[in-house]
Amino acid sequence: MVNGKEMAVYFARPVLQMILKQPFTVANVEGQFDVYATVAGGGLSGQAGAVKHGISKALQLYEPALRGALKAAGFLTRDSRVVERKKYGKPKARRSFQFSKR
């Protein structure tokens, strides 16, 4: 369940559903767990990646022996990029107002 809906309804594309099932496949625990996730912000692809990361962290906490397999697959790496803050005197973070010579 994702945001109160079935996974197949919320993530309609098969690619996104495959992304969510990857941690279970790598850990060989398919069909053994029920997942209730809440995600907000970003797009569907980013949300699918976030849920995959959360599932991987939960599996690792449940069974520490699975850490090696999940880490080797790259499921425990967090993408730390965030939106840059807006600077004063500028309309956005880096964009400047249009320059006028005359």
Side-chain angles (χ1 to χ4, degrees), residues 13-24:
R13 288 185 283 178
V15 174
L16 299 178
Q17 295 174 18
M18 181 196 71
I19 288 173
L20 292 185
K21 294 175 185 172
Q22 283 177 335
F24 298 115

Side-chain angles (χ1 to χ4, degrees), residues 19-45:
I19 288 173
L20 292 185
K21 294 175 185 172
Q22 283 177 335
F24 298 115
T25 307
V26 169
N28 289 327
V29 291
E30 294 171 279
Q32 296 181 21
F33 294 94
D34 291 333
V35 178
Y36 296 92
T38 303
V39 287
L44 284 178
S45 179

Side-chain angles (χ1 to χ4, degrees), residues 46-79:
Q47 288 182 350
V51 173
K52 176 177 86 168
H53 184 254
I55 290 170
S56 301
K57 298 253 319 174
L59 286 173
Q60 175 218 324
L61 290 173
Y62 177 77
E63 182 60 54
L66 297 175
R67 179 174 171 79
L70 292 169
K71 189 158 179 67
F75 296 159
L76 296 177
T77 305
R78 180 183 176 275
D79 189 358

